[in-house]
Amino acid sequence: MLQSDASDDVLLDGLNAAGPIHLAEAYAVMERWGLDALVCAQPVNVFHALGHWPQIARTRIGQPAGTFAILSRRHMEKPVLVTSRFLHFYTFADGRGPVEAFLYDDLSDGEDLGQNGDFPLCPDRGFAPLSAMEQHRFAISEAALRHRAAYRHAGGALVAALREMGAWGGRIGWDDPLIAGVLARHGHGGASIAADNAMREIRLIKSPLEIALMRRAASANVEALQAVAQGVRAGASYRDLHALFRAETAARGNSAVFLNVDRSSSEASPHRIADGQALFLDAVSHFQNYHGDFARTVFVGEPTRAAARAADAAAFAWQAVREEIGPGLRFSDIVRIGQDALKRGGFDVQVGFGPHSCGLAHTDEPGEDAGGFWRKPDLMLRPGMVISVDCPVLDSGLGGSAHCEDLVLITADGCETIHSSPPAVIVV
């Protein structure tokens, strides 16, 4: 019998009540950037602001956005939704309470910024009583349209929202050039700037709801990797482990993102496990778009001395780093601490120390412009960040691979692991 998990229901109800975004951090970032409003078109940013991932983004990959979230620095507690009247009724309203909405009927832009009349949408034929879901949809939709009639075009709804929010003449940030085009066509007189990096800055600091979602995702991800590790056998293919990981994450309510098996992330890898091999498993999966990231080394029987030593090095270095992680440390400091630990421990192996923020993506942080490309900045750790430090051994010819990795939440005076922490080596 299907049965929902009560603790998961609490998290889902939280997403229905409000977006997971850390509003105080959003205000601080917008103030630092001098933004009066942020217009979000990318699904990840719409979700962060509203707790709603536009369904159309999953079914029409690569097409221009049709659902938007707007954040106003004046009224951070009142994010605004701009979407089609149909999608508002058919997807957004499910389970969701009222949100300030500017609805439209046609996904287009033009000179006409007017509103339409209220023509029937999914009309009630009256042959049977409306279900609870139908009643909820009609109530949410009707409330939105009583407050404000739908606009003829998406462009008109976006312009109207910014004007009503008092941001039309101000400095507006956007994460999609589509928005810049709408602003230009309708004579926006203020500044218009690309600001996806601002959204990434906001995502660095997690709200209480985000931390709860991260703990949930990370815990299930750890359990899934442990289950996969117990399935490792000589002769099994790397493809077998990928398939098992997908099944184990699904069984725990997560969605698989990737599994790195012995330095290979390819699900088509034809290689097989050998007796006496050491291999690492690096698992990433998400729950409600929040990602877990976890790695451990697996010994299939008796490893070579070199491989065992490499696994000790990865675990030793990560433990040394974890003991010093806290506010004020920079990513470059983490690399230095790890390398110093290897020298102190007498380990003659190369370990790649790779700190990164984790959240709505496996690597979820702002970037520095590098000729149109982005490179990772030397971020400073702050309370509320969730980070991972990849510690893979980079040497070959050892008899296998080794890695150790956990997710930690930066606290006021250090850090805490947000999931269980099994031994650094799993022996099968």
PDB file of all heavy atoms in Angstrom, residues 83-99:
ATOM      1  N   THR A  83       2.720  33.902 -14.647  1.00  0.00           N
ATOM      2  CA  THR A  83       2.598  32.660 -15.423  1.00  0.00           C
ATOM      3  C   THR A  83       1.291  32.689 -16.199  1.00  0.00           C
ATOM      4  O   THR A  83       0.468  33.596 -16.029  1.00  0.00           O
ATOM      5  CB  THR A  83       2.658  31.428 -14.506  1.00  0.00           C
ATOM      6  OG1 THR A  83       2.824  30.246 -15.285  1.00  0.00           O
ATOM      7  CG2 THR A  83       1.395  31.275 -13.661  1.00  0.00           C
ATOM      8  N   SER A  84       1.104  31.699 -17.050  1.00  0.00           N
ATOM      9  CA  SER A  84      -0.134  31.651 -17.825  1.00  0.00           C
ATOM     10  C   SER A  84      -1.304  31.258 -16.918  1.00  0.00           C
ATOM     11  O   SER A  84      -1.134  30.561 -15.912  1.00  0.00           O
ATOM     12  CB  SER A  84      -0.014  30.640 -18.967  1.00  0.00           C
ATOM     13  OG  SER A  84      -0.114  29.326 -18.483  1.00  0.00           O
ATOM     14  N   ARG A  85      -2.471  31.708 -17.287  1.00  0.00           N
ATOM     15  CA  ARG A  85      -3.658  31.390 -16.492  1.00  0.00           C
ATOM     16  C   ARG A  85      -3.877  29.882 -16.441  1.00  0.00           C
ATOM     17  O   ARG A  85      -4.255  29.330 -15.404  1.00  0.00           O
ATOM     18  CB  ARG A  85      -4.885  32.084 -17.095  1.00  0.00           C
ATOM     19  CG  ARG A  85      -6.124  32.005 -16.213  1.00  0.00           C
ATOM     20  CD  ARG A  85      -7.026  33.178 -16.467  1.00  0.00           C
ATOM     21  NE  ARG A  85      -7.605  33.170 -17.792  1.00  0.00           N
ATOM     22  CZ  ARG A  85      -8.840  32.739 -18.072  1.00  0.00           C
ATOM     23  NH1 ARG A  85      -9.594  32.243 -17.107  1.00  0.00           N
ATOM     24  NH2 ARG A  85      -9.314  32.803 -19.283  1.00  0.00           N
ATOM     25  N   PHE A  86      -3.583  29.198 -17.555  1.00  0.00           N
ATOM     26  CA  PHE A  86      -3.768  27.754 -17.584  1.00  0.00           C
ATOM     27  C   PHE A  86      -2.791  27.050 -16.635  1.00  0.00           C
ATOM     28  O   PHE A  86      -3.182  26.178 -15.861  1.00  0.00           O
ATOM     29  CB  PHE A  86      -3.597  27.220 -19.010  1.00  0.00           C
ATOM     30  CG  PHE A  86      -3.661  25.723 -19.086  1.00  0.00           C
ATOM     31  CD1 PHE A  86      -4.874  25.061 -19.016  1.00  0.00           C
ATOM     32  CD2 PHE A  86      -2.500  24.971 -19.199  1.00  0.00           C
ATOM     33  CE1 PHE A  86      -4.941  23.681 -19.063  1.00  0.00           C
ATOM     34  CE2 PHE A  86      -2.552  23.588 -19.257  1.00  0.00           C
ATOM     35  CZ  PHE A  86      -3.779  22.935 -19.190  1.00  0.00           C
ATOM     36  N   LEU A  87      -1.493  27.423 -16.700  1.00  0.00           N
ATOM     37  CA  LEU A  87      -0.514  26.764 -15.841  1.00  0.00           C
ATOM     38  C   LEU A  87      -0.750  27.084 -14.374  1.00  0.00           C
ATOM     39  O   LEU A  87      -0.504  26.248 -13.500  1.00  0.00           O
ATOM     40  CB  LEU A  87       0.903  27.169 -16.249  1.00  0.00           C
ATOM     41  CG  LEU A  87       1.404  26.590 -17.572  1.00  0.00           C
ATOM     42  CD1 LEU A  87       2.792  27.130 -17.896  1.00  0.00           C
ATOM     43  CD2 LEU A  87       1.437  25.062 -17.522  1.00  0.00           C
ATOM     44  N   HIS A  88      -1.222  28.284 -14.086  1.00  0.00           N
ATOM     45  CA  HIS A  88      -1.560  28.632 -12.712  1.00  0.00           C
ATOM     46  C   HIS A  88      -2.655  27.713 -12.194  1.00  0.00           C
ATOM     47  O   HIS A  88      -2.581  27.199 -11.069  1.00  0.00           O
ATOM     48  CB  HIS A  88      -2.010  30.098 -12.642  1.00  0.00           C
ATOM     49  CG  HIS A  88      -2.380  30.557 -11.266  1.00  0.00           C
ATOM     50  ND1 HIS A  88      -3.681  30.561 -10.812  1.00  0.00           N
ATOM     51  CD2 HIS A  88      -1.618  31.032 -10.241  1.00  0.00           C
ATOM     52  CE1 HIS A  88      -3.709  31.019  -9.577  1.00  0.00           C
ATOM     53  NE2 HIS A  88      -2.475  31.313  -9.206  1.00  0.00           N
ATOM     54  N   PHE A  89      -3.666  27.483 -13.003  1.00  0.00           N
ATOM     55  CA  PHE A  89      -4.785  26.619 -12.618  1.00  0.00           C
ATOM     56  C   PHE A  89      -4.360  25.156 -12.580  1.00  0.00           C
ATOM     57  O   PHE A  89      -4.705  24.413 -11.663  1.00  0.00           O
ATOM     58  CB  PHE A  89      -5.942  26.804 -13.615  1.00  0.00           C
ATOM     59  CG  PHE A  89      -7.134  25.918 -13.358  1.00  0.00           C
ATOM     60  CD1 PHE A  89      -8.137  26.324 -12.493  1.00  0.00           C
ATOM     61  CD2 PHE A  89      -7.251  24.684 -13.983  1.00  0.00           C
ATOM     62  CE1 PHE A  89      -9.246  25.508 -12.256  1.00  0.00           C
ATOM     63  CE2 PHE A  89      -8.341  23.880 -13.761  1.00  0.00           C
ATOM     64  CZ  PHE A  89      -9.343  24.286 -12.890  1.00  0.00           C
ATOM     65  N   TYR A  90      -3.573  24.736 -13.560  1.00  0.00           N
ATOM     66  CA  TYR A  90      -3.343  23.309 -13.796  1.00  0.00           C
ATOM     67  C   TYR A  90      -2.142  22.743 -13.043  1.00  0.00           C
ATOM     68  O   TYR A  90      -2.071  21.534 -12.835  1.00  0.00           O
ATOM     69  CB  TYR A  90      -3.159  23.072 -15.298  1.00  0.00           C
ATOM     70  CG  TYR A  90      -3.602  21.709 -15.758  1.00  0.00           C
ATOM     71  CD1 TYR A  90      -4.952  21.374 -15.767  1.00  0.00           C
ATOM     72  CD2 TYR A  90      -2.679  20.769 -16.190  1.00  0.00           C
ATOM     73  CE1 TYR A  90      -5.370  20.126 -16.196  1.00  0.00           C
ATOM     74  CE2 TYR A  90      -3.086  19.508 -16.625  1.00  0.00           C
ATOM     75  CZ  TYR A  90      -4.435  19.197 -16.625  1.00  0.00           C
ATOM     76  OH  TYR A  90      -4.849  17.960 -17.045  1.00  0.00           O
ATOM     77  N   THR A  91      -1.207  23.595 -12.612  1.00  0.00           N
ATOM     78  CA  THR A  91      -0.039  23.069 -11.895  1.00  0.00           C
ATOM     79  C   THR A  91       0.273  23.848 -10.624  1.00  0.00           C
ATOM     80  O   THR A  91       0.477  23.255  -9.570  1.00  0.00           O
ATOM     81  CB  THR A  91       1.225  23.070 -12.786  1.00  0.00           C
ATOM     82  OG1 THR A  91       1.560  24.416 -13.135  1.00  0.00           O
ATOM     83  CG2 THR A  91       1.019  22.267 -14.041  1.00  0.00           C
ATOM     84  N   PHE A  92       0.308  25.187 -10.704  1.00  0.00           N
ATOM     85  CA  PHE A  92       0.740  25.958  -9.546  1.00  0.00           C
ATOM     86  C   PHE A  92      -0.250  25.860  -8.393  1.00  0.00           C
ATOM     87  O   PHE A  92       0.149  25.779  -7.226  1.00  0.00           O
ATOM     88  CB  PHE A  92       0.947  27.419  -9.928  1.00  0.00           C
ATOM     89  CG  PHE A  92       1.506  28.255  -8.809  1.00  0.00           C
ATOM     90  CD1 PHE A  92       2.881  28.290  -8.572  1.00  0.00           C
ATOM     91  CD2 PHE A  92       0.674  28.996  -7.972  1.00  0.00           C
ATOM     92  CE1 PHE A  92       3.413  29.038  -7.531  1.00  0.00           C
ATOM     93  CE2 PHE A  92       1.199  29.752  -6.936  1.00  0.00           C
ATOM     94  CZ  PHE A  92       2.570  29.778  -6.716  1.00  0.00           C
ATOM     95  N   ALA A  93      -1.537  25.874  -8.692  1.00  0.00           N
ATOM     96  CA  ALA A  93      -2.544  25.931  -7.634  1.00  0.00           C
ATOM     97  C   ALA A  93      -2.609  24.663  -6.795  1.00  0.00           C
ATOM     98  O   ALA A  93      -3.100  24.695  -5.665  1.00  0.00           O
ATOM     99  CB  ALA A  93      -3.924  26.202  -8.253  1.00  0.00           C
ATOM    100  N   ASP A  94      -2.122  23.543  -7.307  1.00  0.00           N
ATOM    101  CA  ASP A  94      -2.228  22.273  -6.584  1.00  0.00           C
ATOM    102  C   ASP A  94      -1.468  22.339  -5.265  1.00  0.00           C
ATOM    103  O   ASP A  94      -0.245  22.419  -5.231  1.00  0.00           O
ATOM    104  CB  ASP A  94      -1.667  21.124  -7.425  1.00  0.00           C
ATOM    105  CG  ASP A  94      -2.547  20.807  -8.625  1.00  0.00           C
ATOM    106  OD1 ASP A  94      -3.739  21.150  -8.579  1.00  0.00           O
ATOM    107  OD2 ASP A  94      -2.029  20.237  -9.593  1.00  0.00           O
ATOM    108  N   GLY A  95      -2.209  22.306  -4.164  1.00  0.00           N
ATOM    109  CA  GLY A  95      -1.609  22.292  -2.852  1.00  0.00           C
ATOM    110  C   GLY A  95      -1.125  23.638  -2.370  1.00  0.00           C
ATOM    111  O   GLY A  95      -0.723  23.780  -1.219  1.00  0.00           O
ATOM    112  N   ARG A  96      -1.150  24.643  -3.216  1.00  0.00           N
ATOM    113  CA  ARG A  96      -0.535  25.924  -2.886  1.00  0.00           C
ATOM    114  C   ARG A  96      -1.571  26.933  -2.395  1.00  0.00           C
ATOM    115  O   ARG A  96      -2.683  27.014  -2.912  1.00  0.00           O
ATOM    116  CB  ARG A  96       0.166  26.484  -4.132  1.00  0.00           C
ATOM    117  CG  ARG A  96       1.059  27.682  -3.853  1.00  0.00           C
ATOM    118  CD  ARG A  96       2.226  27.269  -2.981  1.00  0.00           C
ATOM    119  NE  ARG A  96       2.923  28.418  -2.434  1.00  0.00           N
ATOM    120  CZ  ARG A  96       4.054  28.912  -2.931  1.00  0.00           C
ATOM    121  NH1 ARG A  96       4.597  28.359  -3.991  1.00  0.00           N
ATOM    122  NH2 ARG A  96       4.633  29.939  -2.364  1.00  0.00           N
ATOM    123  N   GLY A  97      -1.201  27.709  -1.409  1.00  0.00           N
ATOM    124  CA  GLY A  97      -2.042  28.807  -0.982  1.00  0.00           C
ATOM    125  C   GLY A  97      -1.899  29.989  -1.911  1.00  0.00           C
ATOM    126  O   GLY A  97      -1.084  29.978  -2.836  1.00  0.00           O
ATOM    127  N   PRO A  98      -2.677  31.038  -1.688  1.00  0.00           N
ATOM    128  CA  PRO A  98      -2.633  32.209  -2.577  1.00  0.00           C
ATOM    129  C   PRO A  98      -1.254  32.859  -2.608  1.00  0.00           C
ATOM    130  O   PRO A  98      -0.612  33.026  -1.583  1.00  0.00           O
ATOM    131  CB  PRO A  98      -3.675  33.153  -1.965  1.00  0.00           C
ATOM    132  CG  PRO A  98      -4.576  32.266  -1.164  1.00  0.00           C
ATOM    133  CD  PRO A  98      -3.694  31.179  -0.634  1.00  0.00           C
ATOM    134  N   VAL A  99      -0.818  33.210  -3.801  1.00  0.00           N
ATOM    135  CA  VAL A  99       0.418  33.957  -4.020  1.00  0.00           C
ATOM    136  C   VAL A  99       0.075  35.088  -4.975  1.00  0.00           C
ATOM    137  O   VAL A  99      -0.704  34.899  -5.912  1.00  0.00           O
ATOM    138  CB  VAL A  99       1.514  33.057  -4.637  1.00  0.00           C
ATOM    139  CG1 VAL A  99       2.732  33.879  -5.042  1.00  0.00           C
ATOM    140  CG2 VAL A  99       1.936  31.973  -3.655  1.00  0.00           C
TER     141      VAL A  99
END
